């Protein structure tokens, strides 16, 4: 025998150590395998469709991903996901999709695998759930740190996408609570508090009473270890006596049940340590004064669902015939269940020792629902249930529950006005503030929702670091940054894609206010120009200018000047004159043989449906038939309506096109070459506005007909980066 310190001993020791390690690893693997087999067994024994292959695959994937990692308790990490999956099937009744997601739930968060890896191997649904679970944790929630209101909202947010996320998170939490003893006390305290604050109430709302009770008791144990020990001790001390009393109490009832031919089970249930503690705290009474420490549950087998309620009441009489029943403590949830689905008949009767005993009367089905929540409904479906449709139904029920809170519903759920229907989306600001918007809302809606000022100067959005135009529709969960520019002003076109009433109203008001300011600045530009040139402003001058620019009113001129869409240089005026005279010549070739002009309000093109209006001076203005001005004119008096059939000829007319997109090098060159090379069209006016990465451009082209214009727009849309191309007049 070698002694300590001798060389041989050390070698021997190391050999032993390697050997024992190998043995331990083998034993561990066997344990992991047997846990997984137990999971599979629970699954194959359920009524779910048997999709064993994908579950096995998810297990192998997770086992490989977590290989070599241990929990704080020292056991292999993979045991945790297996245990969570086990809860998912055995205690929540969910199917293969949820089992796989449970097996994989920590893979994205804790290993190098990404959501994409999960999606490639298991499809988008499972990947989506795993991602939801990762989002909730994300190093800031749950196991890792203290809960913040913000993160709780995120939790609920992910619920609205797929309720399975919250259910699996619940299973995850339950297993973590069951194994909490391995953690350091301060961690235990934190996680226990979170469990009481968030998970237990949520479990209650979802009708998961068994899980709720267990979570509460576990949390209580860590939060108030002494109180927990005291209550447990007192409960244990009185147990024999209690069982005795209960037996005396139920004996006559048993007899009646047997006589009436009931198949039943009576469970004597002791209130949970946590609920006793709660009652002591709330009512400020000692343990001995809590009268309903024990409760009885009568569960009867019932074939005919229609008779369920009557039979509950029949059993009620077996108690009320023999005992004094507390008049204020009768609760009938048989006809109208509690909001979370609970059905039962409750009564409280005076026991042999003069203490009240609560009795809960339930059919087997009611009991299952009470214990398992709506997951229990599956058990009552005939035939093999289809994972998805059943789950959908259940999810909808849960959503109904959550959307219609009871009057005494848990406060935090109400205060955040949880709305799980698709009519609302939840988005986050870069600082993590949550904003709720109507579904369909765009970047611009969000900007206006935050502040009118932000809305009026908004030029683009950045969603998850990707640039998007103002018209981009937001999805729940998007983190959105609003990009602004001082130069930006509210645009009438925005009315085309704002979705919320708030943004629409704000935008309308701004445009109204804006129009006044624009006209004023246009008027000033015009006056300044004339002053510099020493030209007095007279009616005849204005008339000439309007004619040159083919405009109807002075306001039109001011507006275009303010928008910088026309220039007042003398050259331009001359050019306009020349243009006008050539247009007149062209018009004279027109079959109408009339001096007419295209109305600036709608700038019609040959091919458009047009109508002409003769004004008092005999000038004919052509409007699109859809033009609001034309509609107003045709309903009014004093205008002669001239029928017009205006076909494309040799002449061309200006048409304005608006382009929006994401800026990139060469985009302007591409627009230019598309127009000149592919379409043989010149640009007569071009205004470009690039702020941040968003590109906006208004251009005027000369075309012979509306059909040609459509062709041009189609080609422009094909340019890389262009998101929107449309005719604006
Ligand atoms: Mn976990």
């Amino acid at each position: 025998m070698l002694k300590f310190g001798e060389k041989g001993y050390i070698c021997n020791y190391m050999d032993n150590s390697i050997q024992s390690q190998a043995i331990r690893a083998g034993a561990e693997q066997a344990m992991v395998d047997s846990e997984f087999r137990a999971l599979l067994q629970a699954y194959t024994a359920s009524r779910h469709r048997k999709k064993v292959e994908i579950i096995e695959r998810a297990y192998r994937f997770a086992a490989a991903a977590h290989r070599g990692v241990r929990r704080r308790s020292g056991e292999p990490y993979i045991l945790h996901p297996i245990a969570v999956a086990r809860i998912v099937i055995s205690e929540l009744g969910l199917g293969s999709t949820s089992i796989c997601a449970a097996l994989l739930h920590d893979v994205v968060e804790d290993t190098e695998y990404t959501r994409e890896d999960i999606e490639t191997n298991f499809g988008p649904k499972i990947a989506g759930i795993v991602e939801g679970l990762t989002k909730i944790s994300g190093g800031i929630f749950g196991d890792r740190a203290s809960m913040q209101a913000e993160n709780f909202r995120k939790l609920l947010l992910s619920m609205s996408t797929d309720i399975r996320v919250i259910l699996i998170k619940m299973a995850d939490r339950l297993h973590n609570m069951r194994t909490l003893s391995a953690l350091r006390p301060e961690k235990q305290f934190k996680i226990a508090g979170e469990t009481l604050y968030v998970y237990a109430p949520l479990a209650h709302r979802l009708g998961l009473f068994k899980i709720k009770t267990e979570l509460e008791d576990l949390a209580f144990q860590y939060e108030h270890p002494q109180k927990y020990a005291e209550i447990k001790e007192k409960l244990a001390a009185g147990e024999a006596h209690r069982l005795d009393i209960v037996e005396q109490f139920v004996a006559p009832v048993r007899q009646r049940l047997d006589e009436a031919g009931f198949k039943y089970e009576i469970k004597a249930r002791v209130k949970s340590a946590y609920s006793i503690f709660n009652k002591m705290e709330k009512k400020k009474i000692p343990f001995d004064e809590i009268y309903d420490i024990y409760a009885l549950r009568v569960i009867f087998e019932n074939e005919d669902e229609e008779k369920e309620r009557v039979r509950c009441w029949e059993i009620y009489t077996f108690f009320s015939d023999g005992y004094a029943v507390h008049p204020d403590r009768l609760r009938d949830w048989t006809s109208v269940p509690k909001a979370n689905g609970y059905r039962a008949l409750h009564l409280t009767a005076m026991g042999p020792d003069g203490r009240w005993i609560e009795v809960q009367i339930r059919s087997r089905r009611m009991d299952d629902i009470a214990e398992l929540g709506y997951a229990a409904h599956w058990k009552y479906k005939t035939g093999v249930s289809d994972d998805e449709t059943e789950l959908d139904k259940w999810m909808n029920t849960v959503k109904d529950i959550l959307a219609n809170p009871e009057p005494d519903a848990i406060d935090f759920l109400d205060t955040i006005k949880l709305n799980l229907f698709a009519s609302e989306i939840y988005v986050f600001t870069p600082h993590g503030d949550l904003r709720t918007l109507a579904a369909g809302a765009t970047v611009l809606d969000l900007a206006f929702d935050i502040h009118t000022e932000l809305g009026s100067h908004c030029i683009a959005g950045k969603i998850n670091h990707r640039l998007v135009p103002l018209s981009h529709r937001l999805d729940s969960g998007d983190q959105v940054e609003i990009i602004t520019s001082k130069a930006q002003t509210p645009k009438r076109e925005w009315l085309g894609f704002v979705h919320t009433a708030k943004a629409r109203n704000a935008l309308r008001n701004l445009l109204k206010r804006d129009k006044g300011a624009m006209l004023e600045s246009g008027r000033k530009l015009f006056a300044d120009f004339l002053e510099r040139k020493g030209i007095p402003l007279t009616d005849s001058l204005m008339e000439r200018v309007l004619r040159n620019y083919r405009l109807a009113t002075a306001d039109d001129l001011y507006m275009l000047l303010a928008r910088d869409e026309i220039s007042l240089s003398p050259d331009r005026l001359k050019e306009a004159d020349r243009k006008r005279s050539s247009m007149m010549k062209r018009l004279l070739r027109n079959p109408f043989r009339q001096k007419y002009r295209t109305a600036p309000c709608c700038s019609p093109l040959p091919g458009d449906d047009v109508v002409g209006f003769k004004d008092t001076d005999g000038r004919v203005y052509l409007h699109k038939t859809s033009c609001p001005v034309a509609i107003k004119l045709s309903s009014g008096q004093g205008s002669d309506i001239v029928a017009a059939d205006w076909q494309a000829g040799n002449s061309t007319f200006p048409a304005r096109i608006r382009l929006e997109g994401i800026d990139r090098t060469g985009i302007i060159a591409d627009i230019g070459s598309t127009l000149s090379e592919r379409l043989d069209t010149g640009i007569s006016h071009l205004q470009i506005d690039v702020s941040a990465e968003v590109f906006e451009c208004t251009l005027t082209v000369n075309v012979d007909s509306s059909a040609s214009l459509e062709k041009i727009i189609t080609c422009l849309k094909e340019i890389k980066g262009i998101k929107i191309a449309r005719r604006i007049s």
Side-chain angles (χ1 to χ4, degrees), residues 97-98 101 124-134 162 164-165 168:
T97 302
S98 306
K125 204 173 286 169
I126 290 172
I129 297 172
V130 172
E131 191 185 32
L133 286 158
T134 309
D162 194 325
R164 286 176 287 203
V165 172
I168 297 167

Side-chain angles (χ1 to χ4, degrees), residues 299-550:
I299 302 155
F300 60 95
E301 305 300 331
N302 182 57
E303 301 303 319
D304 187 352
E305 227 177 272
E306 293 204 340
K307 289 197 181 134
E308 201 174 39
R309 206 181 154 224
V310 182
R311 301 188 85 192
C312 283
W313 282 103
E314 193 183 349
I315 297 171
Y316 167 84
T317 62
F318 300 163
F319 286 96
S320 65
D321 286 352
Y323 298 108
V325 170
H326 197 305
D328 296 336
R329 303 185 64 83
L330 182 65
R331 299 280 181 274
D332 178 11
W333 287 299
T334 58
S335 44
V336 182
K338 278 196 192 184
N340 54 21
Y342 182 83
R343 282 178 193 270
L345 183 62
H346 287 195
L347 65 104
T348 301
M350 180 75 75
D353 62 347
R355 300 182 73 163
W356 295 107
I357 296 177
E358 189 185 82
V359 180
Q360 301 170 349
I361 303 167
R362 301 172 178 175
S363 70
R364 178 67 64 193
R365 187 182 73 101
M366 291 170 167
D367 188 58
D368 280 336
I369 292 169
E371 294 292 298
L372 301 172
Y374 276 84
H377 285 315
W378 284 355
K379 289 181 70 173
Y380 297 92
K381 297 293 164 193
T382 46
V384 176
S385 70
D386 182 326
D387 249 21
E388 299 306 322
T389 54
E390 284 304 309
L391 186 73
D392 283 350
K393 275 187 220 156
W394 184 52
M395 273 164 52
N396 285 333
T397 318
V398 170
K399 285 176 183 178
D400 283 345
I401 293 166
L402 291 165
N404 300 300
E406 292 172 87
D408 63 339
I410 297 135
D411 285 342
F412 68 82
L413 277 170
D414 294 338
T415 44
I416 63 157
K417 294 211 169 24
L418 176 63
N419 184 344
L420 290 173
F421 294 106
S423 61
E424 281 182 352
I425 55 165
Y426 305 85
V427 297
F428 298 97
T429 68
H431 306 297
D433 291 332
L434 179 100
R435 314 291 303 195
T436 309
L437 294 166
T442 59
V443 171
L444 191 60
D445 284 303
L446 175 64
F448 274 110
D449 187 62
I450 295 168
H451 201 284
T452 306
E453 196 65 12
L454 197 65
S456 60
H457 292 112
C458 172
I459 53 168
K462 252 187 193 170
I463 296 182
N464 311 325
H465 307 296
R466 199 171 50 84
L467 193 98
V468 295
L470 293 180
S471 56
H472 181 90
R473 280 177 65 152
L474 301 172
D475 284 327
S476 257
D478 283 346
Q479 187 161 43
V480 191
E481 185 186 338
I482 304 291
I483 297 165
T484 57
S485 158
K486 280 217 176 81
Q488 179 70 297
T489 52
K491 302 278 186 285
R492 183 154 295 276
E493 299 91 87
W494 291 358
L495 287 170
F497 56 78
V498 289
H499 186 78
T500 59
K502 185 178 176 182
R504 185 171 299 276
N505 289 338
L507 183 55
R508 284 228 171 92
N509 285 335
L510 284 169
L511 288 171
K512 232 184 271 168
R513 208 175 64 198
D514 212 44
K515 197 182 170 194
M518 296 272 276
L519 286 175
E520 197 42 53
S521 92
R523 189 173 293 130
K524 193 169 177 316
L525 281 171
F526 189 58
D528 288 354
F529 174 79
L530 294 179
E531 203 185 304
R532 275 201 308 278
K533 300 286 164 194
I535 306 169
L537 174 56
T538 60
D539 283 356
S540 68
L541 173 85
M542 178 56 87
E543 204 179 311
R544 190 157 52 86
V545 170
L546 292 180
R547 217 165 39 232
N548 284 351
Y549 281 95
R550 285 178 286 127

